[in-house]
Amino acid sequence: MAGGRADAERQREINERVSTLLQHASSEMIARKAEALAPFDLTVTQYTALLMVRCNPGVSSAQLARLCRVTPQSMSVVTAALEQRGLTERMPVAASTRIMALALTRKGGALLTKADAAARRVDQRYEAEFSAEELATFRALLHRARLAVDGPAAS
């Protein structure tokens, strides 16, 4: 059956594409992080948003969406949920009457510290599969791959 062999060869080729391998690795990493964050009642996107707010206090929702690589509409849902739980708060920006800056609350900072430790353990399990040299090479290759797709403005 010639069609079956051709289909199997096509599937092997698709499975070996860099984009397929990256997508599979990313999906698995996100699934493991979601499991690690579940006890904190956080999604991966909420966790990422909290991390970005911690690193960028006073960030706007639009800026946060760009940092988290989600749409502004998605980020407004995320920030509303975080604010409703008392994990973040909005403050007016002095230079604008329309823009609100986001900041972690004390409760948000405490929860993020615990959640980050759990999420970091997921990273460490993956990183343990590589030697220090392999990990440095892997990171460099991933940065190059991102530049190849996004261009230099994304770094």
Side-chain angles (χ1 to χ4, degrees):
M1 185 168 173
R5 189 175 307 143
D7 289 344
E9 184 56 36
R10 252 190 309 273
Q11 185 63 57
R12 275 192 294 281
E13 185 273 325
I14 290 168
N15 290 345
E16 289 302 314
R17 290 179 186 175
V18 170
S19 59
T20 302
L21 292 168
L22 283 171
Q23 194 273 330
H24 287 173
S26 178
S27 293
E28 285 300 316
M29 175 70 81
I30 290 169
R32 298 298 78 74
K33 284 209 175 181
E35 291 169 1
L37 295 169
F40 306 99
D41 195 25
L42 289 172
T43 67
V44 174
T45 304
Q46 289 171 336
Y47 160 74
T48 303
L50 289 172
L51 276 178
M52 292 300 106
V53 170
R54 175 178 276 168
C55 295
N56 303 278
V59 67
S60 71
S61 185
Q63 292 167 324
L64 189 57
R66 286 189 290 279
L67 289 168
C68 294
R69 296 185 177 265
V70 299
T71 65
Q73 296 83 356
S74 294
M75 187 50 65
S76 68
V77 172
V78 169
T79 55
L82 295 174
E83 193 172 0
Q84 184 177 23
R85 289 182 58 194
L87 303 176
T88 60
E89 59 188 354
R90 294 174 193 253
M91 301 165 291
V93 174
S96 172
T97 57
R98 292 180 22 162
I99 300 174
M100 299 293 279
L102 293 161
L104 287 180
T105 62
R106 187 173 302 216
K107 178 181 175 183
L111 181 70
L112 177 58
T113 297
K114 293 174 192 168
D116 191 41
R120 187 68 188 112
R121 285 191 291 275
V122 174
D123 288 325
Q124 290 166 340
R125 278 197 308 261
Y126 280 87
E127 291 167 1
E129 293 298 315
F130 301 95
S131 69
E133 184 179 308
E134 288 172 329
L135 195 53
T137 300
F138 187 46
R139 284 185 174 122
L141 292 171
L142 288 171
H143 284 294
R144 272 185 34 206
R146 193 176 107 198
L147 285 174
V149 174
D150 289 346
S155 28

